[in-house]
Amino acid sequence: LNPVVTLLTDFGLRDEYVGVMKGVILRICPAAQIVDLTHQVAPFQIGQAAVILRSSFRYFTAGTVHLVVVDPGVGTDRALLAAEADGHRFVAPDNGVLSLVLPAGAVRRVVRLDPSRFCRSVCSATFHGRDIMAPAAAHLARGLPLAELGSPMEPNPMPPAGWSPLRWDGKGRLAGSILWIDHFGNLVTNIGLEDMARLQPTGEERLVFTVGSHRIAGLSRTFAQVDAGRVVALIGSRGLLEVAVNRGDARRLLGVAQGDAVHVIKEEKT
Amino acid sequence: LNPVVTLLTDFGLRDEYVGVMKGVILRICPAAQIVDLTHQVAPFQIGQAAVILRSSFRYFTAGTVHLVVVDPGVGTDRALLAAEADGHRFVAPDNGVLSLVLPAGAVRRVVRLDPSRFCRSVCSATFHGRDIMAPAAAHLARGLPLAELGSPMEPNPMPPAGWSPLRWDGKGRLAGSILWIDHFGNLVTNIGLEDMARLQPTGEERLVFTVGSHRIAGLSRTFAQVDAGRVVALIGSRGLLEVAVNRGDARRLLGVAQGDAVHVIKEEKT
Amino acid sequence: LNPVVTLLTDFGLRDEYVGVMKGVILRICPAAQIVDLTHQVAPFQIGQAAVILRSSFRYFTAGTVHLVVVDPGVGTDRALLAAEADGHRFVAPDNGVLSLVLPAGAVRRVVRLDPSRFCRSVCSATFHGRDIMAPAAAHLARGLPLAELGSPMEPNPMPPAGWSPLRWDGKGRLAGSILWIDHFGNLVTNIGLEDMARLQPTGEERLVFTVGSHRIAGLSRTFAQVDAGRVVALIGSRGLLEVAVNRGDARRLLGVAQGDAVHVIKEEKT
C-alpha cells in the first residue's frame, strides 16, 4: 500500500544530494514512504554501511526497498546491483556493501542494473545515486519485477573493507577492531555474539576484553549494570560487542579511535 | 487518516537508531506520518527535551503521538509511560521530560507501559526506544486505546534537570540560566514571559538583562530592532527570553556557555 | 494526490524549528509528503540557497511546493512571496533567493503574501517561517490558488549575495569563486558550463583552472578519471564547475575556503 524505501549513504546532510534523490523516488513512486537510515556513514566506509544495513533491515516491513549509496565508483567499471533476499529488496553498488545481507549460499536473486531499461533521461557522469540507483529503487517500490531492471549476475563476494571475519591472533585471543564509534561515544566492534561463543567459556570462566591499555572483566547485559562513568562491555542493539561508559563517552575516556584493536580472552573467575 | 508521530531524542543522526525506530513504527502503523522534532538534544539533557516538547506539540494536529526517548534509564527501575493530555498523546520515560506538558493538576491520563501487552518479540536489554517505546507509539497512532498499553500510574512530579522554576536571588533580581544555545548561537533561557511579568514594571521603568558581564537594556520585539551585530533581548518563538545578536552569533560574541546565569531587573528609564 | 512540499532553510537540525514547521504544514495539508532539501545552508547565505534550489527543483514532480526560509528579514519591511513558474510553486522571502528560478523575462506569477488572508492565528514577531510561510506553502499544496494568498507584485531582481554573473578579470581569465564546499570537501563554484563555453576553446586548446596556487589542466568527466588523491576539475551534478580530489577532500588538500577565487583560462595543448 505505502511501499517503504530506506536510504543509507555517506552524503551527509549539508548538501541537497539526499533531498534530490527523494524527489526522483517520489516522482516515480508517489506513494513511497522514505526513511533515512543514516547519511553520516564516514566517506567511502563500506564496512560501516554494511553493518548498519545488516542491523537495520529486518526491522522494516517485508518488501521494503533498501537503497545504499556508498562508494559507487562512478567512472570505474564497478557494477550497480539490485537484489532480493529474505523478503527484502536492495539496490547498491557491487563493492561488498551487501555481503552481510546476501551471504554466499543464501537464497537470493541479483541483477546488474541496466539503466537503459528503466531510465528515461540521460545520466550524469557524476551522480549515479540520483540518476540510476534512485530510479531503480523507486521502480522496485512501485512493483516492477527485479528481473526487468537488468540481467542476472553473481555479486562480488568480497567482504566489505573494515569488516573482518573471526580471527585468532595466535595468543589464544580473539582479535577484532573498533568498526565505528556511535553518537554517544560507544565503541562498536566487529565481534559478534556468535564469535564469542566459540571461546566456549565454562561456568568457572569469564570473558575479558581489552581496548588499548584498558581491560574490562565480564560481559554485562545493560549500561546501568556499572556505576555512572564506569566502562562496560555488552552486546549492543546490533548483536555486536560494544565497549561503553555508563552515562558517559567511551571514546573520550579511553582515548581510542576507529580501527583500534579489541581483544577477547577467557580467564578463570577469581 | 494519516496519524502523525513525532520523534524527539538525543540519538543524533550518525547511527541508524532513529531510522530503525521508524521502521518499527511503520511496520505496526503503515499510514503513520513521522516527523523529527530533533535528535540533537544534548545526551541525557532532559530539561532541554522538556522545553522543546512544550514549545512544539501544540503546532501538531490533535491526536498526534509524541515519542520522546531521552535518558530512558535502560537497566534501572525507571518506568516508561504513555499519556494523554490536551488532546495529544505522549510516550516517554518517567524522568520528568513530560513534566511541562503534563503539569500537576492538569486533566491527563497516564499508564505505565507493560510490554507484554503489545510487544510480540523479545526485548533487547539495551534499546527500549526501538523495542518498547516505538511499538507503544505506533499502537497508539493506529488506534489502540491508552488503557490497553499498561496500568494507570502517577508520573514522577520532578521537574526536568536543568529546568528551574521562577527564582529571586535576594538582590531584587530574577535569576535564570541559559538552557541551551540554538543553531544560530541564540541563547535560550528558562525565563518565561509570565515570569518577567511578575516584576511588574511601571510605565517609567524598563527591564534590564545581564548575561556574564554583558548588559542589555529593554526588551525588543524582533531581532531587527537593533543594528546588525548588536545584542538584543526578546521573547523567542518558544515564549522564553532569548539573548541574541542581530544577524550574528551571541554565543561567540558574548563568550558564554550552556548553564551560565542570566538575570533580569527593572530600573527607571533614563 | 500526495502533494510534495520541499524545505530549504538555514535552521540546522539542532532545534525544533524544522519539525514545528512540518507540524504546521501537516495540520493544514495532512496528505503532504514533506522532503528536506537541506537545513544546513550557512546562516544568511542566500546565494548558496539559490543555487541549491536551482539545482534541485526540477527533480521533483510538477506542482511541488518549494518552501525556502533563509534570511527572511523578520522585523524589516522585506516582503514574503509566493510564486509559480515552470510548473512549480515557491514560497520564499523577497531577498533574491528565487532569482535563479524566476529569471527576469520568464513566464511567472508572483504575489506578496498577505497573512490576513490565510492565517487564522496571531503571528509571532520572530518566526515567520512557522507562522506565515509554512501556512502559505501548505495552503498551496492543498490546492488554494496562488492569487488568494496575496496581491501581485514584481520581485526584487537583485542577484543573491555570493552569486555573481560571468566576469572577465581583464587578464583574459574568467573569474569566479568558491560558492560553497560540500560534505565531501568538493569545491562548488559559481561558474557554469555555459559560462565556460564562452571561452570557445579550439581543438588545439584546453581549459586550465586555478584555485589558490593550484593549477588543474583540462576538464574531466568523472572523479575516477584521475588517480585517488589527485585533483580534478569537472562539471558537477548541479551543472557547475567543481574542483575535487578523487576519493579525497579538496578543501583540506588545497587549503582553501568558501569565497576564494577560481579562474579559468584557455591555453594550447602541449
Side-chain angles (χ1 to χ4, degrees):
Chain A
L1 228 102
N2 285 317
V4 180
V5 177
T6 78
L7 302 184
L8 174 59
T9 79
D10 61 355
F11 290 171
L13 294 171
R14 196 188 313 167
D15 306 285
E16 76 277 20
Y17 306 139
V18 171
V20 165
M21 288 204 306
K22 293 180 182 176
V24 169
I25 291 168
L26 290 173
R27 202 159 59 167
I28 295 170
C29 182
Q33 285 260 33
I34 305 174
V35 175
D36 300 303
L37 283 181
T38 176
H39 302 288
Q40 308 280 8
V41 171
F44 310 116
Q45 294 290 312
I46 298 169
Q48 184 185 346
V51 172
I52 287 176
L53 183 63
R54 184 185 75 157
S55 311
S56 303
F57 82 97
R58 283 181 207 283
Y59 291 96
F60 288 83
T61 197
T64 294
V65 178
H66 304 277
L67 171 56
V68 186
V69 190
V70 176
D71 198 11
V74 173
T76 70
D77 56 1
R78 179 171 294 165
L80 303 175
L81 305 179
E84 281 181 9
D86 269 334
H88 286 257
R89 278 93 59 86
F90 304 92
V91 174
D94 186 24
N95 59 12
V97 76
L98 294 185
S99 56
L100 302 181
V101 299
L102 299 178
V107 176
R108 61 189 187 185
R109 296 196 303 148
V110 186
V111 300
R112 180 183 182 124
L113 292 181
D114 175 358
S116 70
R117 299 203 196 177
F118 58 89
C119 285
R120 291 185 205 148
S121 45
V122 182
C123 276
S124 76
T126 56
F127 194 177
H128 286 356
R130 178 188 72 192
D131 297 333
I132 301 176
M133 300 171 79
H139 282 296
L140 282 176
R142 207 184 163 197
L144 195 72
L146 185 76
E148 299 195 17
L149 291 175
S151 306
M153 71 167 286
E154 193 54 29
N156 196 325
M158 65 181 160
W163 178 263
S164 48
L166 184 70
R167 193 167 63 80
W168 296 92
D169 73 352
K171 299 173 183 164
R173 299 185 303 185
L174 180 58
S177 60
I178 299 174
L179 194 59
W180 87 92
I181 301 177
D182 84 358
H183 173 73
F184 295 96
N186 300 332
L187 316 177
V188 182
T189 77
N190 59 355
I191 301 173
L193 183 58
E194 67 285 4
D195 296 330
M196 289 191 289
R198 300 212 201 165
L199 283 163
Q200 296 184 307
T202 66
E204 275 72 48
E205 292 170 326
R206 64 177 179 188
L207 296 178
V208 173
F209 309 90
T210 57
V211 185
S213 61
H214 206 90
R215 183 178 182 281
I216 305 116
L219 192 65
S220 297
R221 277 196 77 239
T222 71
F223 299 104
Q225 222 166 314
V226 299
D227 290 338
R230 302 301 295 269
V231 182
V232 62
L234 44 69
I235 299 299
S237 59
R238 303 174 186 84
L240 296 173
L241 175 68
E242 294 186 19
V243 175
V245 169
N246 185 24
R247 305 183 71 80
D249 185 314
R251 183 212 316 249
R252 283 191 209 156
L253 190 71
L254 304 187
V256 295
Q258 186 182 323
D260 284 5
V262 178
H263 292 99
V264 189
I265 58 169
K266 59 181 178 181
E267 64 175 28
E268 299 213 354
K269 287 179 183 167
T270 52
Chain B
L1 228 103
N2 285 316
V4 179
V5 178
T6 78
L7 302 183
L8 174 59
T9 79
D10 62 353
F11 291 171
L13 295 171
R14 195 186 314 166
D15 308 285
E16 77 278 19
Y17 306 139
V18 171
V20 166
M21 287 205 305
K22 293 180 182 175
V24 170
I25 291 168
L26 290 173
R27 200 160 58 168
I28 295 170
C29 182
Q33 284 259 33
I34 304 175
V35 176
D36 300 303
L37 284 181
T38 177
H39 302 289
Q40 309 280 7
V41 171
F44 310 115
Q45 294 289 313
I46 298 168
Q48 185 185 347
V51 171
I52 286 176
L53 183 64
R54 185 185 75 158
S55 310
S56 304
F57 82 96
R58 285 181 206 284
Y59 292 96
F60 288 82
T61 197
T64 295
V65 178
H66 305 277
L67 171 56
V68 186
V69 190
V70 176
D71 198 10
V74 173
T76 70
D77 56 2
R78 178 170 293 165
L80 303 175
L81 305 180
E84 280 181 9
D86 269 335
H88 287 255
R89 275 93 58 88
F90 304 92
V91 175
D94 186 23
N95 58 12
V97 75
L98 295 185
S99 57
L100 302 182
V101 299
L102 299 178
V107 176
R108 62 189 187 186
R109 296 198 302 149
V110 185
V111 300
R112 180 183 181 123
L113 293 181
D114 175 0
S116 70
R117 299 203 196 177
F118 57 90
C119 286
R120 290 187 206 146
S121 46
V122 181
C123 275
S124 77
T126 55
F127 194 177
H128 286 356
R130 177 189 72 192
D131 297 334
I132 302 176
M133 301 170 79
H139 283 296
L140 282 176
R142 207 183 164 200
L144 196 71
L146 184 76
E148 299 195 17
L149 291 175
S151 306
M153 72 167 285
E154 192 55 28
N156 197 324
M158 66 180 161
W163 177 264
S164 51
L166 183 70
R167 192 167 63 81
W168 296 91
D169 73 350
K171 297 173 183 166
R173 299 185 301 185
L174 181 58
S177 61
I178 299 174
L179 195 59
W180 86 91
I181 300 176
D182 84 359
H183 174 73
F184 295 96
N186 300 333
L187 316 177
V188 182
T189 77
N190 60 354
I191 300 173
L193 183 57
E194 66 285 4
D195 297 329
M196 288 192 290
R198 299 211 199 166
L199 283 162
Q200 297 184 306
T202 65
E204 275 72 50
E205 292 170 327
R206 64 179 178 186
L207 296 178
V208 174
F209 308 90
T210 58
V211 184
S213 61
H214 205 90
R215 184 178 181 280
I216 306 114
L219 192 64
S220 296
R221 276 195 79 240
T222 70
F223 299 103
Q225 223 165 313
V226 300
D227 290 338
R230 302 301 296 269
V231 182
V232 63
L234 46 68
I235 299 299
S237 60
R238 302 173 187 86
L240 296 173
L241 175 68
E242 294 186 16
V243 175
V245 168
N246 185 24
R247 305 182 71 79
D249 184 314
R251 184 212 315 249
R252 282 191 209 158
L253 190 71
L254 303 187
V256 295
Q258 186 181 322
D260 284 4
V262 178
H263 291 99
V264 189
I265 58 170
K266 59 182 178 182
E267 65 174 29
E268 298 211 357
K269 288 179 183 167
T270 51
Chain C
L1 228 102
N2 284 318
V4 180
V5 178
T6 77
L7 301 184
L8 173 58
T9 79
D10 61 354
F11 291 171
L13 294 172
R14 196 187 314 167
D15 307 285
E16 76 278 19
Y17 306 140
V18 171
V20 166
M21 288 204 306
K22 293 180 181 175
V24 169
I25 291 168
L26 290 173
R27 201 160 57 168
I28 295 170
C29 183
Q33 285 260 33
I34 305 175
V35 175
D36 300 302
L37 284 180
T38 176
H39 302 288
Q40 309 280 10
V41 171
F44 310 116
Q45 295 289 313
I46 298 169
Q48 184 184 346
V51 171
I52 286 176
L53 184 63
R54 185 185 75 159
S55 310
S56 304
F57 83 97
R58 284 181 207 284
Y59 292 97
F60 288 82
T61 196
T64 295
V65 179
H66 305 277
L67 171 56
V68 186
V69 190
V70 177
D71 199 10
V74 173
T76 70
D77 57 0
R78 179 171 292 164
L80 303 174
L81 305 179
E84 282 181 10
D86 270 335
H88 287 255
R89 278 93 59 87
F90 304 92
V91 174
D94 186 24
N95 59 11
V97 76
L98 295 185
S99 56
L100 302 181
V101 298
L102 299 178
V107 176
R108 62 188 186 187
R109 295 196 303 148
V110 185
V111 301
R112 180 183 182 124
L113 292 180
D114 175 359
S116 70
R117 298 203 196 177
F118 57 89
C119 285
R120 289 185 206 147
S121 46
V122 182
C123 276
S124 77
T126 55
F127 194 176
H128 286 357
R130 177 189 73 192
D131 297 333
I132 301 176
M133 301 171 78
H139 283 296
L140 282 176
R142 207 185 164 197
L144 196 70
L146 184 76
E148 300 196 16
L149 291 174
S151 307
M153 70 166 287
E154 191 55 28
N156 197 324
M158 64 181 163
W163 177 264
S164 49
L166 183 70
R167 193 167 62 80
W168 296 92
D169 75 348
K171 297 173 183 166
R173 300 186 300 187
L174 181 60
S177 61
I178 299 174
L179 194 60
W180 86 91
I181 300 176
D182 84 359
H183 174 74
F184 295 96
N186 300 333
L187 316 177
V188 182
T189 77
N190 60 354
I191 300 172
L193 183 57
E194 66 285 5
D195 297 329
M196 289 192 289
R198 299 210 200 166
L199 283 161
Q200 297 184 304
T202 65
E204 275 73 50
E205 293 169 327
R206 64 177 177 187
L207 296 178
V208 174
F209 308 90
T210 58
V211 185
S213 61
H214 206 91
R215 185 178 181 279
I216 307 116
L219 192 66
S220 295
R221 276 195 80 239
T222 72
F223 300 102
Q225 222 166 312
V226 299
D227 290 338
R230 302 301 295 268
V231 182
V232 62
L234 45 68
I235 299 297
S237 60
R238 303 173 187 86
L240 296 172
L241 175 68
E242 295 186 16
V243 174
V245 168
N246 185 24
R247 305 182 72 79
D249 185 313
R251 184 213 313 252
R252 282 192 209 157
L253 190 71
L254 303 186
V256 296
Q258 186 181 323
D260 284 4
V262 178
H263 291 100
V264 189
I265 58 170
K266 57 182 180 181
E267 64 174 31
E268 299 211 356
K269 287 179 182 164
T270 51

